[in-house]
Amino acid sequence: MKVIETVAEMKEARADMGVGVGLVPTMGGLHEGHLSLVRRARSADGHVVVSLFVNPSQFAPNEDFDAYPRDLGRDLRLLDAEGVGVVFAPAVEEMYPPGFDEWVEVRGPLTDRLEGAFRPQFFCGVTTVVARLLRIVRPQRAYFGEKDAQQLRVVRRMAEEQRLPVEIVGLPTLREPDGLAMSSRNSYLTPEERQAALVLPRALELGRTMVECERVRDAGKLKEALADCIRREPLARIDYVAVTDYETLEELTAIDRPALLLLAVRTGATRLIDNTPLTPHRSP
Ligand code: PAF
């Protein structure tokens, strides 16, 4: 496995690969969810490049950039065991050289709402770094997890707007045996908070049951029931409970089409997000 630290070397290595390149962009702190993206890329693409880069521009000054889990040795061992060909692990100055001014932004409701409302700098940071990675690595496919459902849709829109010739592939969220979505940030949780965090998968399950078994179609009623369920957990604080159109993430009042239920909840100091599709069956 080749570990590359500079943009120039990455471009040189890419020139030898031809077509059939898959990119898995990550910030390290790898878990099974990341490895499932790597495995899919390995099965679909001749060459797999995994990037490890904790991107400062997507964190606000009060967020967890400094605390974000960094263990390059462990990440490299995991990727080597998966048979990854190239790891791109640049320093900040490589991705953001002095005078860097190539910010890439998707504007409009897709980025203003939900995560965008709580983390105003987040999507511009993500689209800038992903666009830069796509221009350096020039993959035919790039892989992202559905756990970050809004990020996935924003990255897809960015690739279209920038006319980047890449397929953005979204893959299902991987969960711990008790239902908690895998996330690098789970490592911040104390044992008590880890237990409290189970309120997220519990609320998602309640949402699915209400829509798919009890045929609830009133999004307001659904959100109220889920907010009540989350509020019963003393360590949990809600940032949002949202019911949106599955593709556009426009807020719904009636659940009358494929929808997405999205949650952002703080457990102690840790902010967790999760989501589930809602499939309303037609009335007979
Ligand atoms: O989802 C992530 O880990 C990051 O937001 C990404 C896509 C690697 C960009 O830094």
Side-chain angles (χ1 to χ4, degrees):
M1 186 173 75
K2 205 165 168 178
V3 181
I4 295 178
E5 293 179 1
T6 68
V7 171
E9 274 175 275
M10 184 62 240
K11 286 183 171 168
E12 207 176 295
R14 170 64 184 94
D16 297 332
M17 290 180 192
V19 287
V21 177
L23 171 68
V24 183
T26 81
M27 298 205 296
L30 299 183
H31 51 68
E32 275 297 312
H34 296 112
L35 300 182
S36 74
L37 307 183
V38 170
R39 286 174 197 140
R40 173 63 80 87
R42 286 260 296 144
S43 70
D45 305 300
H47 299 274
V48 175
V49 179
V50 178
S51 62
L52 300 174
F53 180 65
V54 187
N55 174 33
S57 72
Q58 69 190 70
F59 292 81
N62 60 335
E63 291 183 341
D64 56 337
F65 175 71
D66 290 332
Y68 201 85
R70 290 168 174 84
D71 187 344
L72 183 63
R74 177 181 175 276
D75 289 344
L76 293 179
R77 281 194 298 281
L78 289 170
L79 296 174
D80 199 23
E82 294 297 330
V84 167
V86 173
V87 173
F88 180 44
V92 172
E93 307 72 53
E94 281 291 315
M95 294 302 280
Y96 298 101
F100 177 86
D101 197 21
E102 290 166 31
W103 299 100
V104 174
E105 205 167 356
V106 168
R107 289 176 197 268
L110 182 60
T111 50
D112 290 345
R113 285 192 294 254
L114 303 165
E115 288 304 285
F118 283 85
R119 305 182 67 195
Q121 78 306 320
F122 175 66
F123 285 122
C124 179
V126 168
T127 46
T128 297
V129 81
V130 173
R132 184 145 164 72
L133 287 167
L134 292 174
R135 290 197 163 101
I136 294 166
V137 178
R138 292 184 291 112
Q140 278 69 47
R141 294 194 190 85
Y143 297 84
F144 296 82
E146 269 286 357
K147 186 179 78 65
D148 297 287
Q150 190 178 9
Q151 168 175 279
L152 171 62
R153 286 154 182 76
V154 169
V155 166
R156 251 191 208 128
R157 175 83 61 81
M158 178 279 289
E160 277 163 30
E161 289 182 359
Q162 298 288 313
R163 296 174 197 277
L164 294 168
V166 61
E167 181 190 348
I168 303 297
V169 182
L171 293 177
T173 302
L174 256 65
R175 294 182 180 280
E176 302 291 350
D178 60 9
L180 186 67
M182 290 188 184
S183 163
S184 307
R185 290 189 165 100
N186 292 350
S187 65
Y188 301 153
L189 298 168
T190 64
E192 218 187 356
E193 291 164 352
R194 171 69 181 70
Q195 197 56 32
L198 293 177
V199 75
L200 282 95
R202 233 177 14 250
L204 295 180
E205 179 59 36
L206 174 62
R208 274 194 304 270
T209 304
M210 287 179 70
V211 171
E212 294 174 8
C213 305
E214 297 165 18
R215 297 178 175 254
V216 171
R217 296 290 176 267
D218 180 338
K221 187 173 161 191
L222 182 74
K223 286 189 287 188
E224 207 32 63
L226 300 188
D228 277 352
C229 159
I230 297 168
R231 281 191 213 107
R232 280 197 289 275
E233 170 47 66
L235 292 184
R237 294 280 171 278
I238 299 173
D239 270 2
Y240 58 77
V241 174
V243 179
T244 71
D245 177 88
Y246 184 80
E247 290 298 339
T248 66
L249 302 191
E250 276 165 55
E251 192 84 33
L252 296 181
T253 50
I255 308 164
D256 53 4
R257 65 190 100 157
L260 202 61
L261 166 58
L262 303 104
L263 306 178
V265 174
R266 291 171 199 268
T267 334
T270 306
R271 188 171 181 279
L272 299 174
I273 58 172
D274 202 349
N275 67 80
T276 187
L278 297 174
T279 314
H281 304 288
R282 286 184 207 291
S283 299

